[in-house]
mmCIF file of all heavy atoms in Angstrom:
data_model
loop_
_atom_site.group_PDB
_atom_site.id
_atom_site.type_symbol
_atom_site.label_atom_id
_atom_site.label_comp_id
_atom_site.label_asym_id
_atom_site.label_seq_id
_atom_site.Cartn_x
_atom_site.Cartn_y
_atom_site.Cartn_z
ATOM 1 N N PRO A 226 -152.997 -19.107 -36.418
ATOM 2 C CA PRO A 226 -154.375 -18.748 -36.808
ATOM 3 C C PRO A 226 -155.414 -19.293 -35.836
ATOM 4 O O PRO A 226 -156.425 -18.626 -35.571
ATOM 5 C CB PRO A 226 -154.528 -19.371 -38.192
ATOM 6 C CG PRO A 226 -153.129 -19.460 -38.719
ATOM 7 C CD PRO A 226 -152.268 -19.749 -37.527
ATOM 8 N N GLU A 227 -155.156 -20.478 -35.277
ATOM 9 C CA GLU A 227 -156.137 -21.065 -34.379
ATOM 10 C C GLU A 227 -156.255 -20.282 -33.072
ATOM 11 O O GLU A 227 -157.297 -20.314 -32.409
ATOM 12 C CB GLU A 227 -155.821 -22.535 -34.099
ATOM 13 C CG GLU A 227 -154.459 -22.797 -33.475
ATOM 14 C CD GLU A 227 -153.339 -23.002 -34.492
ATOM 15 O OE1 GLU A 227 -153.347 -22.340 -35.551
ATOM 16 O OE2 GLU A 227 -152.444 -23.814 -34.190
ATOM 17 N N PHE A 228 -155.181 -19.558 -32.675
ATOM 18 C CA PHE A 228 -155.296 -18.694 -31.500
ATOM 19 C C PHE A 228 -156.150 -17.479 -31.818
ATOM 20 O O PHE A 228 -157.045 -17.105 -31.048
ATOM 21 C CB PHE A 228 -153.919 -18.234 -31.011
ATOM 22 C CG PHE A 228 -154.002 -17.196 -29.928
ATOM 23 C CD1 PHE A 228 -154.333 -17.552 -28.632
ATOM 24 C CD2 PHE A 228 -153.805 -15.847 -30.219
ATOM 25 C CE1 PHE A 228 -154.464 -16.588 -27.644
ATOM 26 C CE2 PHE A 228 -153.923 -14.879 -29.232
ATOM 27 C CZ PHE A 228 -154.255 -15.247 -27.944
ATOM 28 N N VAL A 229 -155.891 -16.854 -32.938
ATOM 29 C CA VAL A 229 -156.664 -15.664 -33.324
ATOM 30 C C VAL A 229 -158.143 -16.010 -33.434
ATOM 31 O O VAL A 229 -159.015 -15.216 -33.056
ATOM 32 C CB VAL A 229 -156.131 -15.081 -34.650
ATOM 33 C CG1 VAL A 229 -156.974 -13.884 -35.080
ATOM 34 C CG2 VAL A 229 -154.667 -14.664 -34.497
ATOM 35 N N GLU A 230 -158.420 -17.223 -33.905
ATOM 36 C CA GLU A 230 -159.814 -17.644 -34.040
ATOM 37 C C GLU A 230 -160.511 -17.782 -32.689
ATOM 38 O O GLU A 230 -161.742 -17.711 -32.610
ATOM 39 C CB GLU A 230 -159.885 -18.972 -34.795
ATOM 40 C CG GLU A 230 -159.525 -18.848 -36.276
ATOM 41 C CD GLU A 230 -159.338 -20.193 -36.953
ATOM 42 O OE1 GLU A 230 -159.533 -21.237 -36.269
ATOM 43 O OE2 GLU A 230 -158.998 -20.209 -38.143
ATOM 44 N N ARG A 231 -159.735 -17.982 -31.621
ATOM 45 C CA ARG A 231 -160.335 -18.097 -30.296
ATOM 46 C C ARG A 231 -160.768 -16.751 -29.730
ATOM 47 O O ARG A 231 -161.603 -16.689 -28.819
ATOM 48 C CB ARG A 231 -159.339 -18.727 -29.312
ATOM 49 C CG ARG A 231 -159.069 -20.187 -29.527
ATOM 50 C CD ARG A 231 -158.358 -20.752 -28.319
ATOM 51 N NE ARG A 231 -157.950 -22.133 -28.521
ATOM 52 C CZ ARG A 231 -157.482 -22.908 -27.555
ATOM 53 N NH1 ARG A 231 -157.336 -22.434 -26.331
ATOM 54 N NH2 ARG A 231 -157.119 -24.154 -27.820
ATOM 55 N N LEU A 232 -160.177 -15.680 -30.209
ATOM 56 C CA LEU A 232 -160.504 -14.368 -29.678
ATOM 57 C C LEU A 232 -161.940 -14.021 -30.041
ATOM 58 O O LEU A 232 -162.434 -14.409 -31.093
ATOM 59 C CB LEU A 232 -159.541 -13.315 -30.239
ATOM 60 C CG LEU A 232 -158.064 -13.525 -29.880
ATOM 61 C CD1 LEU A 232 -157.194 -12.491 -30.586
ATOM 62 C CD2 LEU A 232 -157.854 -13.452 -28.370
ATOM 63 N N PRO A 233 -162.623 -13.292 -29.169
ATOM 64 C CA PRO A 233 -164.021 -12.942 -29.470
ATOM 65 C C PRO A 233 -164.139 -12.262 -30.831
ATOM 66 O O PRO A 233 -163.368 -11.365 -31.158
ATOM 67 C CB PRO A 233 -164.380 -11.982 -28.325
ATOM 68 C CG PRO A 233 -163.471 -12.386 -27.202
ATOM 69 C CD PRO A 233 -162.187 -12.787 -27.857
ATOM 70 N N ALA A 234 -165.099 -12.709 -31.604
ATOM 71 C CA ALA A 234 -165.212 -12.243 -32.987
ATOM 72 C C ALA A 234 -165.906 -10.902 -33.109
ATOM 73 O O ALA A 234 -165.683 -10.169 -34.070
ATOM 74 C CB ALA A 234 -165.962 -13.287 -33.817
ATOM 75 N N ARG A 235 -166.739 -10.548 -32.126
ATOM 76 C CA ARG A 235 -167.517 -9.319 -32.239
ATOM 77 C C ARG A 235 -167.429 -8.520 -30.951
ATOM 78 O O ARG A 235 -167.500 -9.064 -29.861
ATOM 79 C CB ARG A 235 -168.977 -9.631 -32.550
ATOM 80 C CG ARG A 235 -169.184 -10.337 -33.885
ATOM 81 C CD ARG A 235 -170.655 -10.678 -34.085
ATOM 82 N NE ARG A 235 -171.488 -9.483 -34.121
ATOM 83 C CZ ARG A 235 -171.705 -8.763 -35.222
ATOM 84 N NH1 ARG A 235 -171.139 -9.118 -36.360
ATOM 85 N NH2 ARG A 235 -172.478 -7.702 -35.205
ATOM 86 N N GLY A 236 -167.271 -7.204 -31.099
ATOM 87 C CA GLY A 236 -167.395 -6.302 -29.962
ATOM 88 C C GLY A 236 -166.190 -6.204 -29.058
ATOM 89 O O GLY A 236 -166.210 -5.434 -28.091
ATOM 90 N N ARG A 237 -165.140 -6.962 -29.320
ATOM 91 C CA ARG A 237 -163.957 -6.934 -28.455
ATOM 92 C C ARG A 237 -162.741 -6.580 -29.308
ATOM 93 O O ARG A 237 -162.108 -7.447 -29.907
ATOM 94 C CB ARG A 237 -163.744 -8.296 -27.786
ATOM 95 C CG ARG A 237 -164.901 -8.739 -26.894
ATOM 96 C CD ARG A 237 -164.853 -8.082 -25.537
ATOM 97 N NE ARG A 237 -166.019 -8.415 -24.719
ATOM 98 C CZ ARG A 237 -166.163 -8.053 -23.442
ATOM 99 N NH1 ARG A 237 -165.198 -7.360 -22.852
ATOM 100 N NH2 ARG A 237 -167.256 -8.352 -22.778
ATOM 101 N N SER A 238 -162.433 -5.309 -29.379
ATOM 102 C CA SER A 238 -161.369 -4.843 -30.264
ATOM 103 C C SER A 238 -160.144 -4.341 -29.515
ATOM 104 O O SER A 238 -159.146 -3.977 -30.134
ATOM 105 C CB SER A 238 -161.905 -3.725 -31.164
ATOM 106 O OG SER A 238 -162.500 -2.705 -30.385
ATOM 107 N N GLN A 239 -160.199 -4.307 -28.179
ATOM 108 C CA GLN A 239 -159.079 -3.864 -27.365
ATOM 109 C C GLN A 239 -158.494 -5.064 -26.617
ATOM 110 O O GLN A 239 -159.242 -5.836 -26.009
ATOM 111 C CB GLN A 239 -159.519 -2.804 -26.351
ATOM 112 C CG GLN A 239 -160.117 -1.559 -26.986
ATOM 113 C CD GLN A 239 -160.647 -0.587 -25.938
ATOM 114 O OE1 GLN A 239 -160.961 -0.961 -24.819
ATOM 115 N NE2 GLN A 239 -160.749 0.669 -26.316
ATOM 116 N N ILE A 240 -157.179 -5.198 -26.647
ATOM 117 C CA ILE A 240 -156.525 -6.298 -25.931
ATOM 118 C C ILE A 240 -155.475 -5.727 -24.990
ATOM 119 O O ILE A 240 -154.580 -4.982 -25.415
ATOM 120 C CB ILE A 240 -155.885 -7.310 -26.901
ATOM 121 C CG1 ILE A 240 -156.950 -7.908 -27.822
ATOM 122 C CG2 ILE A 240 -155.162 -8.410 -26.126
ATOM 123 C CD1 ILE A 240 -156.465 -9.048 -28.700
ATOM 124 N N VAL A 241 -155.594 -6.079 -23.716
ATOM 125 C CA VAL A 241 -154.589 -5.725 -22.711
ATOM 126 C C VAL A 241 -153.660 -6.925 -22.561
ATOM 127 O O VAL A 241 -154.114 -8.052 -22.358
ATOM 128 C CB VAL A 241 -155.249 -5.378 -21.362
ATOM 129 C CG1 VAL A 241 -154.196 -5.156 -20.286
ATOM 130 C CG2 VAL A 241 -156.136 -4.138 -21.516
ATOM 131 N N VAL A 242 -152.357 -6.680 -22.672
ATOM 132 C CA VAL A 242 -151.368 -7.752 -22.679
ATOM 133 C C VAL A 242 -150.421 -7.596 -21.497
ATOM 134 O O VAL A 242 -149.960 -6.488 -21.189
ATOM 135 C CB VAL A 242 -150.561 -7.755 -23.998
ATOM 136 C CG1 VAL A 242 -149.494 -8.845 -23.978
ATOM 137 C CG2 VAL A 242 -151.492 -7.942 -25.198
ATOM 138 N N ALA A 243 -150.103 -8.722 -20.855
ATOM 139 C CA ALA A 243 -149.073 -8.796 -19.814
ATOM 140 C C ALA A 243 -148.292 -10.075 -20.052
ATOM 141 O O ALA A 243 -148.765 -10.985 -20.748
ATOM 142 C CB ALA A 243 -149.712 -8.815 -18.426
ATOM 143 N N GLY A 244 -147.082 -10.174 -19.498
ATOM 144 C CA GLY A 244 -146.370 -11.438 -19.601
ATOM 145 C C GLY A 244 -144.878 -11.308 -19.791
ATOM 146 O O GLY A 244 -144.266 -10.294 -19.474
ATOM 147 N N MET A 245 -144.276 -12.348 -20.340
ATOM 148 C CA MET A 245 -142.829 -12.443 -20.493
ATOM 149 C C MET A 245 -142.488 -13.342 -21.684
ATOM 150 O O MET A 245 -143.322 -14.117 -22.120
ATOM 151 C CB MET A 245 -142.199 -13.001 -19.208
ATOM 152 C CG MET A 245 -142.755 -14.363 -18.756
ATOM 153 S SD MET A 245 -142.119 -14.970 -17.170
ATOM 154 C CE MET A 245 -142.744 -13.782 -15.983
ATOM 155 N N GLU A 246 -141.307 -13.172 -22.301
ATOM 156 C CA GLU A 246 -140.439 -12.040 -22.064
ATOM 157 C C GLU A 246 -140.855 -10.879 -22.935
ATOM 158 O O GLU A 246 -141.285 -11.070 -24.071
ATOM 159 C CB GLU A 246 -138.993 -12.414 -22.379
ATOM 160 C CG GLU A 246 -138.333 -13.266 -21.298
ATOM 161 C CD GLU A 246 -136.839 -13.374 -21.497
ATOM 162 O OE1 GLU A 246 -136.108 -12.462 -21.048
ATOM 163 O OE2 GLU A 246 -136.404 -14.357 -22.111
ATOM 164 N N ALA A 247 -140.680 -9.680 -22.401
ATOM 165 C CA ALA A 247 -141.172 -8.487 -23.082
ATOM 166 C C ALA A 247 -140.578 -8.323 -24.468
ATOM 167 O O ALA A 247 -141.260 -7.872 -25.392
ATOM 168 C CB ALA A 247 -140.874 -7.247 -22.228
ATOM 169 N N HIS A 248 -139.301 -8.712 -24.628
ATOM 170 C CA HIS A 248 -138.619 -8.448 -25.902
ATOM 171 C C HIS A 248 -138.696 -9.615 -26.883
ATOM 172 O O HIS A 248 -138.147 -9.528 -27.982
ATOM 173 C CB HIS A 248 -137.146 -8.083 -25.650
ATOM 174 C CG HIS A 248 -136.329 -9.189 -25.072
ATOM 175 N ND1 HIS A 248 -136.459 -9.613 -23.773
ATOM 176 C CD2 HIS A 248 -135.353 -9.966 -25.626
ATOM 177 C CE1 HIS A 248 -135.603 -10.593 -23.541
ATOM 178 N NE2 HIS A 248 -134.929 -10.830 -24.648
ATOM 179 N N VAL A 249 -139.381 -10.686 -26.487
ATOM 180 C CA VAL A 249 -139.497 -11.842 -27.389
ATOM 181 C C VAL A 249 -140.984 -12.142 -27.616
ATOM 182 O O VAL A 249 -141.598 -11.607 -28.532
ATOM 183 C CB VAL A 249 -138.743 -13.072 -26.838
ATOM 184 C CG1 VAL A 249 -138.771 -14.207 -27.861
ATOM 185 C CG2 VAL A 249 -137.291 -12.727 -26.502
ATOM 186 N N CYS A 250 -141.576 -12.974 -26.784
ATOM 187 C CA CYS A 250 -142.948 -13.421 -27.040
ATOM 188 C C CYS A 250 -143.973 -12.308 -26.863
ATOM 189 O O CYS A 250 -144.946 -12.241 -27.619
ATOM 190 C CB CYS A 250 -143.279 -14.612 -26.148
ATOM 191 S SG CYS A 250 -142.364 -16.115 -26.600
ATOM 192 N N VAL A 251 -143.780 -11.441 -25.869
ATOM 193 C CA VAL A 251 -144.723 -10.338 -25.698
ATOM 194 C C VAL A 251 -144.642 -9.401 -26.895
ATOM 195 O O VAL A 251 -145.661 -9.026 -27.482
ATOM 196 C CB VAL A 251 -144.458 -9.585 -24.383
ATOM 197 C CG1 VAL A 251 -145.314 -8.317 -24.311
ATOM 198 C CG2 VAL A 251 -144.750 -10.484 -23.183
ATOM 199 N N LEU A 252 -143.433 -9.020 -27.268
ATOM 200 C CA LEU A 252 -143.250 -8.131 -28.415
ATOM 201 C C LEU A 252 -143.896 -8.706 -29.667
ATOM 202 O O LEU A 252 -144.695 -8.027 -30.345
ATOM 203 C CB LEU A 252 -141.758 -7.896 -28.662
ATOM 204 C CG LEU A 252 -141.393 -7.202 -29.984
ATOM 205 C CD1 LEU A 252 -141.930 -5.779 -30.015
ATOM 206 C CD2 LEU A 252 -139.890 -7.236 -30.210
ATOM 207 N N GLN A 253 -143.561 -9.949 -30.004
ATOM 208 C CA GLN A 253 -144.062 -10.514 -31.250
ATOM 209 C C GLN A 253 -145.576 -10.739 -31.211
ATOM 210 O O GLN A 253 -146.263 -10.628 -32.237
ATOM 211 C CB GLN A 253 -143.302 -11.795 -31.586
ATOM 212 C CG GLN A 253 -141.828 -11.521 -31.886
ATOM 213 C CD GLN A 253 -141.112 -12.714 -32.478
ATOM 214 O OE1 GLN A 253 -141.643 -13.424 -33.326
ATOM 215 N NE2 GLN A 253 -139.884 -12.936 -32.044
ATOM 216 N N THR A 254 -146.102 -11.023 -30.032
ATOM 217 C CA THR A 254 -147.551 -11.157 -29.892
ATOM 218 C C THR A 254 -148.243 -9.814 -30.092
ATOM 219 O O THR A 254 -149.247 -9.715 -30.811
ATOM 220 C CB THR A 254 -147.903 -11.742 -28.514
ATOM 221 O OG1 THR A 254 -147.414 -13.098 -28.450
ATOM 222 C CG2 THR A 254 -149.400 -11.745 -28.272
ATOM 223 N N VAL A 255 -147.711 -8.774 -29.471
ATOM 224 C CA VAL A 255 -148.304 -7.438 -29.617
ATOM 225 C C VAL A 255 -148.256 -6.980 -31.071
ATOM 226 O O VAL A 255 -149.249 -6.465 -31.616
ATOM 227 C CB VAL A 255 -147.591 -6.431 -28.700
ATOM 228 C CG1 VAL A 255 -147.949 -4.997 -29.069
ATOM 229 C CG2 VAL A 255 -147.947 -6.703 -27.244
ATOM 230 N N LEU A 256 -147.113 -7.170 -31.734
ATOM 231 C CA LEU A 256 -147.003 -6.764 -33.130
ATOM 232 C C LEU A 256 -148.003 -7.530 -33.998
ATOM 233 O O LEU A 256 -148.632 -6.964 -34.895
ATOM 234 C CB LEU A 256 -145.578 -6.985 -33.641
ATOM 235 C CG LEU A 256 -144.477 -6.135 -32.984
ATOM 236 C CD1 LEU A 256 -143.119 -6.483 -33.572
ATOM 237 C CD2 LEU A 256 -144.754 -4.645 -33.135
ATOM 238 N N GLY A 257 -148.161 -8.820 -33.725
ATOM 239 C CA GLY A 257 -149.112 -9.621 -34.485
ATOM 240 C C GLY A 257 -150.546 -9.202 -34.259
ATOM 241 O O GLY A 257 -151.340 -9.120 -35.203
ATOM 242 N N LEU A 258 -150.904 -8.919 -33.005
ATOM 243 C CA LEU A 258 -152.265 -8.482 -32.709
ATOM 244 C C LEU A 258 -152.561 -7.146 -33.380
ATOM 245 O O LEU A 258 -153.663 -6.923 -33.897
ATOM 246 C CB LEU A 258 -152.465 -8.376 -31.194
ATOM 247 C CG LEU A 258 -152.469 -9.700 -30.426
ATOM 248 C CD1 LEU A 258 -152.445 -9.438 -28.933
ATOM 249 C CD2 LEU A 258 -153.673 -10.560 -30.799
ATOM 250 N N ALA A 259 -151.567 -6.249 -33.378
ATOM 251 C CA ALA A 259 -151.754 -4.959 -34.050
ATOM 252 C C ALA A 259 -151.979 -5.159 -35.546
ATOM 253 O O ALA A 259 -152.818 -4.484 -36.160
ATOM 254 C CB ALA A 259 -150.545 -4.063 -33.795
ATOM 255 N N THR A 260 -151.248 -6.109 -36.140
ATOM 256 C CA THR A 260 -151.428 -6.402 -37.558
ATOM 257 C C THR A 260 -152.833 -6.902 -37.850
ATOM 258 O O THR A 260 -153.400 -6.630 -38.915
ATOM 259 C CB THR A 260 -150.389 -7.448 -38.018
ATOM 260 O OG1 THR A 260 -149.080 -6.903 -37.844
ATOM 261 C CG2 THR A 260 -150.587 -7.820 -39.472
ATOM 262 N N HIS A 261 -153.412 -7.617 -36.892
ATOM 263 C CA HIS A 261 -154.783 -8.115 -37.056
ATOM 264 C C HIS A 261 -155.822 -7.043 -36.756
ATOM 265 O O HIS A 261 -157.033 -7.322 -36.806
ATOM 266 C CB HIS A 261 -155.011 -9.329 -36.161
ATOM 267 C CG HIS A 261 -154.438 -10.607 -36.717
ATOM 268 N ND1 HIS A 261 -155.088 -11.358 -37.672
ATOM 269 C CD2 HIS A 261 -153.270 -11.248 -36.464
ATOM 270 C CE1 HIS A 261 -154.348 -12.423 -37.979
ATOM 271 N NE2 HIS A 261 -153.241 -12.378 -37.262
ATOM 272 N N GLY A 262 -155.395 -5.832 -36.429
ATOM 273 C CA GLY A 262 -156.322 -4.730 -36.249
ATOM 274 C C GLY A 262 -156.779 -4.456 -34.836
ATOM 275 O O GLY A 262 -157.655 -3.614 -34.615
ATOM 276 N N TYR A 263 -156.201 -5.148 -33.860
ATOM 277 C CA TYR A 263 -156.589 -4.901 -32.474
ATOM 278 C C TYR A 263 -155.883 -3.662 -31.926
ATOM 279 O O TYR A 263 -154.735 -3.372 -32.276
ATOM 280 C CB TYR A 263 -156.247 -6.107 -31.592
ATOM 281 C CG TYR A 263 -157.148 -7.289 -31.837
ATOM 282 C CD1 TYR A 263 -156.758 -8.322 -32.680
ATOM 283 C CD2 TYR A 263 -158.408 -7.362 -31.247
ATOM 284 C CE1 TYR A 263 -157.590 -9.412 -32.927
ATOM 285 C CE2 TYR A 263 -159.243 -8.441 -31.482
ATOM 286 C CZ TYR A 263 -158.828 -9.460 -32.320
ATOM 287 O OH TYR A 263 -159.660 -10.514 -32.561
ATOM 288 N N ALA A 264 -156.571 -2.941 -31.055
ATOM 289 C CA ALA A 264 -155.971 -1.845 -30.306
ATOM 290 C C ALA A 264 -155.351 -2.453 -29.054
ATOM 291 O O ALA A 264 -156.060 -2.944 -28.171
ATOM 292 C CB ALA A 264 -157.025 -0.813 -29.937
ATOM 293 N N VAL A 265 -154.031 -2.440 -28.965
ATOM 294 C CA VAL A 265 -153.317 -3.150 -27.907
ATOM 295 C C VAL A 265 -152.835 -2.170 -26.843
ATOM 296 O O VAL A 265 -152.241 -1.134 -27.156
ATOM 297 C CB VAL A 265 -152.114 -3.928 -28.465
ATOM 298 C CG1 VAL A 265 -151.414 -4.691 -27.339
ATOM 299 C CG2 VAL A 265 -152.560 -4.876 -29.568
ATOM 300 N N THR A 266 -153.095 -2.505 -25.592
ATOM 301 C CA THR A 266 -152.504 -1.815 -24.448
ATOM 302 C C THR A 266 -151.614 -2.802 -23.723
ATOM 303 O O THR A 266 -152.070 -3.877 -23.311
ATOM 304 C CB THR A 266 -153.581 -1.278 -23.494
ATOM 305 O OG1 THR A 266 -154.352 -0.275 -24.157
ATOM 306 C CG2 THR A 266 -152.938 -0.659 -22.253
ATOM 307 N N LEU A 267 -150.345 -2.477 -23.579
ATOM 308 C CA LEU A 267 -149.408 -3.308 -22.836
ATOM 309 C C LEU A 267 -149.336 -2.804 -21.404
ATOM 310 O O LEU A 267 -149.092 -1.615 -21.166
ATOM 311 C CB LEU A 267 -148.018 -3.240 -23.466
ATOM 312 C CG LEU A 267 -146.918 -3.992 -22.710
ATOM 313 C CD1 LEU A 267 -147.103 -5.495 -22.831
ATOM 314 C CD2 LEU A 267 -145.530 -3.581 -23.194
ATOM 315 N N ALA A 268 -149.576 -3.696 -20.453
ATOM 316 C CA ALA A 268 -149.349 -3.362 -19.043
ATOM 317 C C ALA A 268 -147.849 -3.417 -18.809
ATOM 318 O O ALA A 268 -147.283 -4.480 -18.540
ATOM 319 C CB ALA A 268 -150.097 -4.332 -18.138
ATOM 320 N N GLY A 269 -147.198 -2.285 -18.958
ATOM 321 C CA GLY A 269 -145.736 -2.263 -18.995
ATOM 322 C C GLY A 269 -145.070 -2.759 -17.732
ATOM 323 O O GLY A 269 -144.006 -3.370 -17.789
ATOM 324 N N ASP A 270 -145.684 -2.518 -16.568
ATOM 325 C CA ASP A 270 -145.092 -2.993 -15.320
ATOM 326 C C ASP A 270 -145.451 -4.444 -15.042
ATOM 327 O O ASP A 270 -145.051 -5.011 -14.025
ATOM 328 C CB ASP A 270 -145.491 -2.093 -14.149
ATOM 329 C CG ASP A 270 -147.005 -1.983 -13.959
ATOM 330 O OD1 ASP A 270 -147.761 -2.500 -14.806
ATOM 331 O OD2 ASP A 270 -147.418 -1.377 -12.957
ATOM 332 N N ALA A 271 -146.195 -5.061 -15.950
ATOM 333 C CA ALA A 271 -146.510 -6.491 -15.867
ATOM 334 C C ALA A 271 -145.962 -7.222 -17.086
ATOM 335 O O ALA A 271 -146.478 -8.269 -17.476
ATOM 336 C CB ALA A 271 -148.015 -6.702 -15.745
#
Side-chain angles (χ1 to χ4, degrees):
E227 59 271 36
F228 172 76
V229 178
E230 290 169 2
R231 289 194 186 190
L232 298 175
R235 297 177 62 85
R237 299 280 175 174
S238 53
Q239 300 175 337
I240 300 188
V241 174
V242 178
M245 56 185 65
E246 283 192 84
H248 65 288
V249 186
C250 291
V251 172
L252 169 65
Q253 294 191 41
T254 294
V255 166
L256 295 179
L258 291 171
T260 298
H261 281 279
Y263 288 97
V265 182
T266 295
L267 176 71
D270 58 353

